[in-house]
Amino acid sequence: MLVATSTTTASMSNSTTTTTTATTSWVGRRIDVDGHTATVRYHGAIAGKPGSWLGVEWDDPQRGRHSGTFAGVAYFSARCPGAGSFVAASKPGIDPGRSFLAALHEKYLDGAPTADSTLVLGSSDGAVTVETVGWDKIRRKQSRLESLREVGLAGMRIAVAAAASDMPDVSDVSDRDTKTDANANADAVGRQIARLCASMVDLDLSRNLLASWSDLARLAHYLPRVETLRLSANRMALPSAVSSDGAVHQAALEPAGAFSRVRQVTLMSTMMSWPEIQCIEPWFTALEELHVGFNHIASIPAPVTGFANLRVLNLESNGLADWTDLVHLGSLPQLASLNVSNNQLANVLPNTPGSFASLRSISLSDNRLASWADVHALNTYPALAEIRLKRNPIAEAPSASNAGMGRLVTLIARVARVTSVNGSPVSARDRYNAELYYLSECGKARSTLSAAEFAATHPRYAELCGIYGEPEAIPVALTSNALKDRLLTVRFESAAAGPGAGSSDGGDGGGGSGKVMEKKLPGTIKVRAVRALVARLFGGAAGSTRLVWVASKGKAERVEELDDDMRELSYYGIASGDTVRVTSA
């Protein structure tokens, strides 16, 4: 039945708040207490306390004082430890909620000015009067509920589809005597909802007081066009039944097929476990997008069945710590996007053949991945093109090969085929540059790691060598910070005095050979200092010395005069083993 008839709630008009008479058990109901929502877990007496009490589990655990145990007696068990407390059943301000129809009327029909006027916002101390220009136009558009496609009723304290007090307002019932028939009443209310929401495709019921999936199904039955349901921060119980032996088991959802057209469901902060999510899967045969973050899901037991059309699965901010739980999702045939950010994952396991065949995007940000092996494992997922790895140890820890832009570049090079990293597109040029840079880094690391360590640390090295060729060996002077490794061994040769000694043709300065000496010099030494050194080694005045650099054997022949006293040797490209011939100017 669609209409709520429990004596737990008193009559309610379309825009007023209900009050409780508390003549039946409240257990399982959702309530609002002074603006804070909770689920009633116990109703009755408390030892040593007069009156009737409600044991509640607050949606906000910070409001709780215990988990259901008081003075050594366990009255109930809160699903979230520490979220429970007791509230006197007679306490003013306990609101058991209202109907969908009442909230719909208040939000879209009763609450706004009917014409352009003024509106006072804020308290008496800081009130501001604003002019509502154009509000009448908006009001007329919103009042045509039959044409609205998106309806937002978040935080409207909705507990049921309709209450008995909604019945007098149902205009499509011609014979008021039929209101004595509960089934006729339910059908009439359902027709009213179906008429008002004829165009609705997106419905937001987040942060309401819905207590069961059965209540929601009775509402959804009259909303056949709805494809998106936003149900975050509700606490809905699965339908249950008691068998002949007293065992409680899950019952079939009535009415059947209520959610058969729904494609997207948001169930954030609903405290649903994965087995409970698996239980509702048969109701959503067209489901393509499911958001179940912030639910304290710590495991995903096997087998994961159904979800034949599911493309997007959001599991962010849960308690998942073992990749084997995610392995159970590999059988979902259409799964293209998986969000497991802000969990406790410490590793990524290589994919098994046939699993995650359609997975294109994965978000692993804010986890505990600390090894490049976890990054390399992503290469085993055949369709993966988009990854997010922000705020993981492997992405944040500074190192020689992982600093600044080097982090992003190295990540691009280590994961083949990706076209987006941390939200940034990766072009063909980006990949080309990243892989060449990474290949050069591999060349530096080869001499510092054993063959086995190198293969484990850089598994793409052979593949990249096949594409670009092996990197050239890099001189120690370019990679070492030790001064001894950065010194250049330069051979100074004094040309013998003779007819060609003063030649300025750039040749070898004469036919004879004079004194030869080798010196180790930093590449940063300036030519002026080299002239002074040569004057001390070979005698003579520094200003009358001519220096001619001759490249060492094995290089393309090059002869160049060092004629700029303010330049460093490195400017000319002098390398260890090169010769500097000394002649008179």
Side-chain angles (χ1 to χ4, degrees):
M1 184 181 298
L2 183 68
V3 181
T5 58
S6 170
T7 57
T8 303
T9 58
S11 63
M12 177 178 65
S13 69
N14 286 338
S15 60
T16 60
T17 302
T18 61
T19 58
T20 179
T21 59
T23 58
T24 62
S25 175
W26 289 57
V27 175
R29 293 187 65 88
R30 299 271 292 155
I31 60 174
D32 181 289
V33 183
D34 298 328
H36 301 280
T37 51
T39 303
V40 179
R41 302 295 187 196
Y42 171 80
H43 178 207
I46 299 177
K49 297 284 186 179
S52 180
W53 293 82
L54 302 179
V56 301
E57 179 175 355
W58 299 101
D59 290 3
D60 179 6
Q62 299 300 318
R63 293 187 58 80
R65 298 184 177 181
H66 49 69
S67 298
T69 299
F70 178 75
V73 179
Y75 293 92
F76 65 95
S77 178
R79 291 188 63 172
C80 184
S85 68
F86 289 99
V87 177
S90 59
K91 174 182 171 62
I94 297 179
D95 181 2
R98 57 176 169 180
S99 71
F100 174 82
L101 275 177
L104 195 66
H105 273 267
E106 178 181 316
K107 176 71 177 288
Y108 291 97
L109 299 176
D110 301 335
T114 57
D116 288 349
S117 60
T118 59
L119 183 67
V120 178
L121 302 177
S123 64
S124 57
D125 293 335
V128 176
T129 301
V130 297
E131 185 178 356
T132 58
V133 177
W135 202 318
D136 57 336
K137 181 178 180 181
I138 297 173
R139 177 70 176 79
R140 287 195 301 270
K141 182 176 181 180
Q142 288 192 337
S143 66
R144 295 194 293 269
L145 286 174
E146 298 87 344
S147 64
L148 292 183
R149 293 174 57 83
E150 299 179 6
V151 172
L153 295 174
M156 297 291 288
R157 309 187 316 280
I158 297 170
V160 293
S165 57
D166 291 317
M167 293 306 301
D169 296 324
V170 178
S171 60
D172 58 346
V173 177
S174 58
D175 184 0
R176 292 185 179 274
D177 291 337
T178 62
K179 294 183 181 182
T180 60
D181 185 327
N183 290 329
N185 290 349
D187 290 340
V189 173
R191 289 195 299 273
Q192 173 79 340
I193 292 175
R195 180 177 63 80
L196 291 174
C197 305
S199 301
M200 186 191 303
V201 296
D202 188 323
L203 175 58
D204 188 354
L205 291 173
S206 301
R207 306 190 313 279
N208 275 290
L209 300 179
L210 296 167
S212 74
W213 281 95
S214 297
D215 290 339
L216 180 63
R218 284 190 284 270
L219 171 61
H221 177 68
Y222 292 99
L223 305 172
R225 297 194 62 187
V226 169
E227 297 182 354
T228 299
L229 266 178
R230 308 179 195 276
L231 303 168
S232 296
N234 284 286
R235 304 284 194 272
M236 295 179 291
L238 296 171
S240 61
V242 180
S243 60
S244 58
D245 61 358
V248 179
H249 60 89
Q250 183 179 344
L253 184 71
E254 297 292 342
F259 305 117
S260 60
R261 289 177 59 90
V262 176
R263 298 179 182 274
Q264 176 180 336
V265 177
T266 302
L267 292 165
M268 312 285 269
S269 301
T270 56
M271 295 297 291
M272 294 186 71
S273 66
W274 185 262
E276 289 173 324
I277 295 168
Q278 185 71 69
C279 285
I280 70 172
E281 181 277 330
W283 308 340
F284 294 90
T285 54
L287 189 63
E288 296 179 0
E289 191 168 330
L290 177 61
H291 300 267
V292 288
F294 298 89
N295 280 321
H296 302 281
I297 297 172
S299 65
I300 302 177
V304 174
T305 58
F307 298 105
N309 300 305
L310 190 66
R311 297 183 300 102
V312 177
L313 178 57
N314 181 358
L315 285 162
E316 67 175 308
S317 300
N318 280 294
L320 296 168
D322 193 338
W323 192 268
T324 56
D325 288 307
L326 302 186
V327 169
H328 301 152
L329 302 172
S331 60
L332 303 183
Q334 302 298 325
L335 185 62
S337 177
L338 178 61
N339 183 352
V340 286
S341 60
N342 198 27
N343 278 273
Q344 300 296 319
L345 296 168
N347 68 326
V348 177
L349 296 180
N351 191 33
T352 56
S355 294
F356 293 105
S358 302
L359 187 64
R360 285 186 46 82
S361 173
I362 188 167
S363 178
L364 291 162
S365 298
D366 296 290
N367 277 282
R368 298 164 57 191
L369 306 179
S371 170
W372 283 120
D374 301 320
V375 175
H376 300 148
L378 296 174
N379 285 312
T380 62
Y381 292 78
L384 196 60
E386 301 176 6
I387 61 173
R388 290 178 181 267
L389 285 165
K390 289 183 177 180
R391 294 176 295 279
N392 278 279
I394 190 61
E396 299 296 322
S399 67
S401 62
N402 187 36
M405 280 300 293
R407 299 175 187 176
L408 179 61
V409 170
T410 301
L411 189 56
I412 293 171
R414 287 178 181 266
V415 185
R417 301 184 307 275
V418 294
T419 57
S420 175
V421 174
N422 293 336
S424 300
V426 178
S427 66
R429 171 58 62 179
D430 292 334
R431 174 158 295 283
Y432 175 81
N433 291 335
E435 290 179 343
L436 282 181
Y437 168 81
Y438 173 63
L439 200 56
S440 69
E441 294 297 302
C442 291
K444 298 176 186 178
R446 290 193 71 180
S447 61
T448 63
L449 299 173
S450 67
E453 289 174 330
F454 183 82
T457 307
H458 303 286
R460 290 201 70 208
Y461 179 74
E463 175 191 351
L464 294 177
C465 285
I467 299 173
Y468 304 107
E470 291 194 21
E472 294 184 2
I474 299 175
V476 175
L478 296 182
T479 60
S480 174
N481 290 323
L483 179 61
K484 66 181 182 63
D485 293 328
R486 302 185 69 84
L487 295 177
L488 305 176
T489 301
V490 181
R491 182 175 182 268
F492 289 96
E493 182 181 297
S494 174
S503 173
S504 59
D505 60 1
D508 59 10
S513 179
K515 188 176 179 182
V516 175
M517 298 187 70
E518 282 190 353
K519 287 293 181 180
K520 290 189 175 181
L521 304 173
T524 56
I525 191 172
K526 291 187 170 150
V527 172
R528 180 176 59 185
V530 174
R531 291 190 191 279
L533 174 65
V534 167
R536 291 197 302 270
L537 294 177
F538 299 106
S544 62
T545 303
R546 180 169 175 262
L547 305 177
V548 178
W549 164 47
V550 180
S552 60
K553 292 182 179 179
K555 294 186 178 182
E557 184 174 347
R558 182 176 180 182
V559 177
E560 183 175 348
E561 183 174 354
L562 309 181
D563 55 0
D564 190 338
D565 282 358
M566 300 308 295
R567 294 289 188 184
E568 298 175 351
L569 288 186
S570 58
Y571 168 79
Y572 292 95
I574 295 178
S576 284
D578 285 357
T579 297
V580 174
R581 289 185 176 171
V582 182
T583 64
S584 298

